[in-house]
Amino acid sequence: MAHILFAAPPLQRFHLHERLARALQTRGHRVTVLCTDPVDFTVWSHQGLASRLIKPGRVPDLPLPLAEFAAQDCLLAGSPQPGIRALERAGRPLRRMAGGILKLFEIDPPELLLLHADRTGMHRLMHFIAREVGSRILWTGDGLLPNTMQWDEEGLDGDSSV
């Protein structure tokens, strides 16, 4: 069946992802949790789920809008007008991980990339690379009403295509 990749899921939503992964696996799908942090990787891998830790790699030749993703990280950190140094600092981890993410998507491309709640530059980078390699994308997040969820292929809230 399909290969579904959970993109750096937040540990605060562990139960949601764990139950979703189990439900997908019982239906025959292959689920992998993609981690950018070694601590998150340890948690997910000890739960019996297939987990992949992205390791830094060389910057790919693919033109990536890393400055835009770094600006998003600065905005989320509370700096709407970041300086050059702040953008550089925010863009460093994105540049470092871009090659590893692209390599994973080339070696074992998922049919679906699932992103939940987080809107970081790293998540946007994963979205961008997934689209470049032809994977489908689904963003999910908490809905406006209790016990509901929103979902979209392009993002959440202001980024949503709805």
Side-chain angles (χ1 to χ4, degrees):
M1 296 295 280
H3 177 210
I4 299 161
L5 185 66
F6 291 177
L11 290 178
Q12 300 90 330
R13 302 296 261 161
F14 169 77
H15 293 293
L16 170 75
H17 289 89
E18 193 268 338
R19 290 187 70 189
L20 178 60
R22 301 286 178 219
L24 289 167
Q25 288 172 335
T26 59
R27 292 189 173 123
H29 299 291
R30 185 166 58 100
V31 177
T32 305
V33 179
L34 178 62
C35 301
T36 57
D37 179 53
V39 173
D40 290 353
F41 171 73
T42 302
V43 171
W44 287 106
S45 60
H46 283 158
Q47 302 309 314
L49 294 173
S51 304
R52 298 286 302 263
L53 177 63
I54 294 298
K55 295 187 176 144
R58 69 173 189 82
V59 179
D61 297 333
L62 182 69
L64 301 170
L66 296 177
E68 178 185 328
F69 301 147
Q72 175 66 25
D73 280 343
C74 290
L75 183 64
L76 290 172
S79 179
Q81 297 293 325
I84 293 172
R85 289 186 187 196
L87 286 171
E88 214 172 87
R89 198 171 29 256
R92 211 170 292 133
L94 298 172
R95 260 188 308 284
R96 222 176 46 242
M97 295 296 196
I101 294 170
L102 185 60
K103 183 178 177 182
L104 173 88
F105 276 84
E106 288 174 345
I107 292 171
D108 190 16
E111 278 75 29
L112 177 70
L113 176 71
L114 178 73
L115 302 120
H116 180 76
D118 285 341
R119 300 171 177 91
T120 66
M122 192 66 70
H123 289 92
R124 291 172 188 275
L125 175 61
M126 290 179 206
H127 175 124
F128 183 86
I129 291 174
R131 191 171 347 145
E132 290 297 311
V133 299
S135 296
R136 296 198 60 201
I137 299 143
L138 181 65
W139 289 81
T140 61
D142 295 332
L144 296 174
L145 299 173
N147 300 318
T148 63
M149 291 184 77
Q150 59 177 324
W151 54 274
D152 189 46
E153 293 180 358
E154 289 301 317
L156 297 173
D157 298 336
D159 302 321
S160 176
S161 64
V162 175

